[in-house]
Amino acid sequence: RVLRTLRRLQIVWRLVSGLLSAWDTMASTMGLILLWLYIFGCVATEIITNDPQLRANTDTAAIIDTHFGSVPRATLTLLQFVTMDAIAEVYFPLVVEKPILIIYFLPLLMFLSIGLMNLVTAVLVDHALRQSSLEAEAARDEKKREIKAALPGLLDVFDSLDADQSGYITREEIAGVPLTLLPPKILETASVNSMEDLFDMLDGNESGSLSQVDFLDGLLSLLVHEMPIWALQLQKRLLPLQKATNQISNDLQFIKWHHESF
């Protein structure tokens, strides 16, 4: 339960870190929106607030007094176009009374409500992808450091197990060797009771011996990559099947070509 909680907190921290790292984008966006709203608010006081045709209609006059009475009020009203908050109640009666105002409201709808918000979303997503790429690169560097630190110790373990210095270790050679010879993290991941059990886990193809490469690959997968041992065994068992499948495919292609030639 504690591990699950820590994993969730790591995800939350990643989200918070992404928002904090994108503060410059968010601040720039906020400044651009405020500038856009202020400009259109000033225009609204000239073409809407002082328009005699709109003032003559009681419905549109009420909208003007409520939403476009001053530049700050007009700017606050136009903020609804950012959030798409009941904007039809504002522009619809005005455009019906004076259709030419569609030239004023259409840029607000297209560039502010749709274009700018989608652009900001794209920028934030791109920033999140770049941040994730940097984190993945940092994780790979950390894995490389772990491998570099663990490799000499694992080589010493293999040399101590390879009694006849043949380059291979057998089940008989590691019989009776204590588990304390292995790094503690491997024991936590593998959950084995003896070195013989570890040998059986690493010997996925049941050849009866392990080369230095097979031994190091299996232990590094447990130590660094945190790959389940069953996945490692399955991968080793699938390699011969893949080779056999490729060979069968090549033979069938040859038979087909030979048959078509006749």
Side-chain angles (χ1 to χ4, degrees):
R1 182 179 300 176
V2 174
L3 293 177
R4 288 197 299 267
T5 303
L6 292 176
R7 192 175 294 112
R8 292 193 186 96
L9 291 177
Q10 184 179 6
I11 296 174
V12 172
W13 167 247
R14 185 174 299 174
L15 293 174
V16 174
S17 177
L19 289 175
L20 292 177
S21 60
W23 69 269
D24 53 343
T25 302
M26 299 176 67
S28 301
T29 303
M30 182 62 66
L32 183 61
I33 290 175
L34 292 177
L35 178 62
W36 188 275
L37 294 177
Y38 178 75
I39 293 174
F40 272 79
C42 293
V43 175
T45 58
E46 295 296 330
I47 67 174
I48 296 178
T49 306
N50 300 322
D51 189 275
Q53 181 180 348
L54 298 176
R55 286 290 185 180
N57 188 302
T58 55
D59 294 333
T60 56
I63 294 176
I64 291 173
D65 294 335
T66 303
H67 298 286
F68 297 99
S70 62
V71 173
R73 189 180 293 268
T75 303
L76 185 61
T77 298
L78 296 179
L79 186 61
Q80 295 179 229
F81 284 80
V82 179
T83 60
M84 304 289 284
D85 181 19
I87 58 177
E89 298 178 358
V90 177
Y91 75 84
F92 185 78
L94 298 176
V95 173
V96 169
E97 180 65 24
K98 193 170 185 178
I100 193 64
L101 288 178
I102 192 66
I103 300 176
Y104 171 80
F105 288 106
L106 190 59
L108 281 172
L109 290 171
M110 294 299 297
F111 295 103
L112 188 60
S113 303
I114 301 175
L116 184 59
M117 290 298 100
N118 289 335
L119 181 61
V120 170
T121 302
V123 171
L124 291 178
V125 169
D126 179 70
H127 184 83
L129 291 176
R130 286 190 284 108
Q131 186 71 18
S132 177
S133 176
L134 292 176
E135 291 179 359
E137 185 177 355
R140 287 193 296 268
D141 293 339
E142 181 65 23
K143 293 294 184 182
K144 291 179 181 178
R145 287 192 292 269
E146 291 181 7
I147 292 175
K148 186 176 180 180
L151 193 57
L154 295 179
L155 287 173
D156 293 339
V157 171
F158 181 85
D159 292 338
S160 63
L161 294 176
D162 186 16
D164 57 358
Q165 302 298 316
S166 62
Y168 292 86
I169 56 175
T170 62
R171 200 171 190 277
E172 291 75 16
E173 285 181 321
I174 65 173
V177 177
L179 287 172
T180 54
L181 189 65
L182 298 174
K185 188 175 180 180
I186 293 180
L187 299 179
E188 295 174 2
T189 307
S191 300
V192 293
N193 297 321
S194 64
M195 291 293 289
E196 291 90 335
D197 293 340
L198 179 64
F199 182 88
D200 294 336
M201 295 173 69
L202 298 179
D203 188 20
N205 54 7
E206 299 180 355
S207 62
S209 63
L210 290 174
S211 66
Q212 186 182 72
V213 174
D214 293 334
F215 181 78
L216 294 177
D217 182 53
L219 293 186
L220 286 175
S221 297
L222 294 173
L223 181 63
V224 179
H225 302 292
E226 298 181 354
M227 179 185 294
I229 193 62
W230 62 264
L232 181 64
Q233 292 176 336
L234 182 61
Q235 182 181 11
K236 289 184 176 181
R237 291 179 183 271
L238 287 177
L239 287 177
L241 293 178
Q242 184 180 7
K243 294 180 180 179
T245 303
N246 293 335
Q247 183 63 37
I248 292 173
S249 178
N250 294 333
D251 293 341
L252 290 175
Q253 291 292 335
F254 176 78
I255 294 173
K256 181 180 178 181
W257 173 81
H258 187 72
H259 177 73
E260 291 177 351
S261 63
F262 284 99

